[in-house]
Amino acid sequence: MQTRIFSGLDIARDVHAETLRRAQDAGIRPTCRVLLDASNAGARAYATRQQEMAEQAGIALTVLAYASDPLAIYRQLAALRDDPAVDAVITLYPLPQGVDAIAAALAIGAEKDVDGLHPMNAGNLLLGAPGRGAATAQASVICAEALFGNLAGAKVAVVGASPVVGRPLTMMLLDRNATVSVGHAATRDLAALTRQADIVVSATGVAGLITADHIAQGAILIDVGISRSNGQILGDVDLASVEGKATAVTHAPDGVGPITTACLFRNIFGTALSRRPQ
Ligand SMILES: Nc1nc(=O)c2c([nH]1)NC[C@@H]1CN(c3ccc(C(=O)N[C@@H](CCC(=O)O)C(=O)O)cc3)C=[N+]21
C-alpha cells in the first residue's frame, strides 16, 4: 500500500472563499490585531502566513509587538478589547515571560477571543456548547474527517495536551463521538497508546516523533507539529518510516497549517458578524 500524502491547500482555499463570500454578503471587513513575540520562529511563521493571506480574505489584519512588560501587556490587551474598531485579538503563544495566560485572555475578553483561550469560550467547548474553538484544533478535525469520514466510534489518539491544540481538539473529537486518548510528554509507552488508534493526531513539535512502530497498519496520521532544521520545515511524523504502513499522512508544510489560517479567518469573521447590529 502506498501512503497518501494529504495537502490541505484545496480545503483551505474553499474555507477562505466561503468566508470571503459571507463577509461580502454581509458587507463586513473584519479587523484583527495579532500580538507577536518575534523571537519565536513558529509564531513568526504563523503571523507572516496570516499577513500574506488576510488581504485576499478581506480581513484588515495588523501584527503588533507585545508591550515591554506583563502589566503593560495586560493594559495593551484591555485597550484593544475596548477599541470599537477592533473585532478580534490574537495573542500568539508562547506568551512573553511573566505573562499569565488566563490573565491575558481575561484582558482580551471573550467576545474578541478567536483562539478559544478565554475561560468562557474554553468552558463552552468543555461543556459541549456551541462556541468558537482554537483554529488549529478545528483544522485537525477537518483533516481527520476528510481522510477518515464520520468520526463516531473512531479511535483517535491525540499526542500533546496544549491549550491551543491537544485540549480543545480532545473536546471537539468527543463532540463527534470519537473515542479519544491523550498522550503527552509524561506518557510512559506512547507507542502502545498510539498503536491502538485509527487516527493519530500529533501536535508536539518534536520532529520525527511518530514512526512505524507507533502506528497500526492502515492508520491515518494528522501531523500538526512544526519544527525547523536547517531552514527546512519538519513535522512530528517520520515520513520515511511510516511510508507503506499509514493509509494517509497530512503534509508539513501545506497540510493542517493552511487550513488553520482559514479556520482562524472564519473565527475572525464570526466575531465581526456578531459584533455588528443585525
Ligand atoms: N494563540 C496561538 N494560537 C495558535 O494557533 C498558535 C500560536 N498561538 N502560536 C504559534 C503556533 C504555531 N501555529 C501555526 C499555524 C499554522 C502554520 C502554518 O500555516 N504553517 C505553514 C508553513 C509556514 C512556513 O512556511 O513557515 C504550513 O504548515 O504550511 C504555522 C504555525 C499556530 N500557533
Side-chain angles (χ1 to χ4, degrees), residues 150-209:
N150 189 340
L151 298 177
K155 285 182 276 183
V156 187
V158 175
V159 185
S162 74
V164 283
V165 193
R167 286 167 189 258
L169 174 61
T170 298
M171 294 304 135
M172 291 175 195
L173 292 167
L174 281 178
D175 287 342
R176 285 158 181 80
N177 296 317
T179 299
V180 193
S181 51
V182 183
H184 45 74
T187 297
R188 285 215 183 84
D189 190 349
L190 181 65
L193 183 88
T194 51
R195 270 199 301 266
Q196 306 296 317
D198 302 309
I199 304 168
V200 177
V201 187
S202 187
T204 70
V206 178
L209 175 71

